Amino acid sequence: PTTHVLPVSDSGGSTAQIIECIGGPAMGDIRSRLIRLARLDSDEEKAVASMLKRRLDREDDGLAKRQWHSLIESEESEWHGISGPYKETIRAFLLVFNDRILRQASCSKFDFRNASIGNLFLSGARLFFHSLSTATLWMGRLLALPASTQVLPVLNGESVYTLQARLSTGEVVRGQNVI
């Protein structure tokens, strides 16, 4: 058996947007590791991994929002190669995330640019299960990780964890992407 224990302190990219909006631990490093460990034997396994690895448009917020809505509205072109059960499982957790950002005032200006679908999936699953470990388990199952492989967050709370470092000048810098 192999166990990967990963940090929950990522502070860059779409993770920063998610934390600002709904709080909780960061999951970017976990998502990345799960995708790297995914079994890619069948076309469907490749399509699922590709979907969870995908990022929305990097530059145009309007286009990124349209891409997001195409996913959650289940437009067929977005789900090519993914069968109904996998599609509806992924989509269900994306809808949980979408519901939260629509209902929460701090999310009214959520920036979808460069958002990772895998991070949005893990966020929705974490909200549903109230557990990043359980969300991680589900994503691992969707990605067909070998039964002997586990990916676990180093901490399993609902808090935000931020790395910080004191420089030789005495200045304190915060955030993994700054350090």
Side-chain angles (χ1 to χ4, degrees):
T2 304
T3 301
H4 301 259
V5 180
L6 296 167
V8 291
S9 56
D10 178 20
S11 62
S14 65
T15 297
Q17 280 287 314
I18 293 167
I19 290 170
E20 183 179 319
C21 176
I22 64 170
M27 72 283 304
D29 294 335
I30 293 170
R31 179 233 349 122
S32 179
R33 181 66 55 93
L34 285 166
I35 290 170
R36 281 197 308 273
L37 294 170
R39 201 169 69 214
L40 303 173
D41 296 335
S42 71
D43 288 341
E44 183 161 47
E45 288 169 344
K46 291 174 188 171
V48 168
S50 179
M51 170 63 76
L52 294 172
K53 182 169 52 174
R54 179 180 171 195
R55 288 188 176 270
L56 301 177
D57 190 79
R58 175 180 298 271
E59 304 294 326
D60 184 341
D61 188 43
L63 176 57
K65 283 179 184 171
R66 288 190 300 279
Q67 291 170 330
W68 171 247
H69 289 289
S70 290
L71 281 172
I72 62 172
E73 291 170 7
S74 194
E75 291 186 15
E76 226 30 66
S77 62
E78 298 288 347
W79 297 93
H80 180 72
I82 301 175
S83 66
Y86 280 100
K87 172 183 163 182
E88 293 309 322
T89 300
I90 295 168
R91 192 169 160 265
F93 292 120
L94 295 178
L95 286 167
V96 169
F97 177 79
N98 193 66
D99 180 63
R100 175 62 68 90
I101 65 171
L102 290 175
R103 289 186 298 113
Q104 195 157 323
S106 62
C107 302
S108 65
K109 301 268 191 243
F110 190 84
D111 187 351
F112 283 98
R113 286 178 295 179
N114 205 33
S116 161
I117 300 305
N119 285 357
L120 301 176
F121 170 87
L122 276 173
S123 296
R126 180 186 64 83
L127 290 168
F128 182 81
F129 292 115
H130 302 282
S131 166
L132 182 56
S133 291
T134 305
T136 301
L137 174 70
W138 268 91
M139 187 166 171
R141 295 280 166 90
L142 284 171
L143 291 167
L145 263 62
S148 62
T149 302
Q150 282 188 298
V151 176
L152 300 171
V154 70
L155 300 168
N156 192 32
E158 290 295 309
S159 300
V160 176
Y161 301 94
T162 305
L163 292 178
Q164 60 184 10
R166 184 177 309 278
L167 305 178
S168 59
T169 62
E171 177 187 4
V172 175
V173 291
R174 289 176 179 80
Q176 179 182 347
N177 63 329
V178 176
I179 296 171

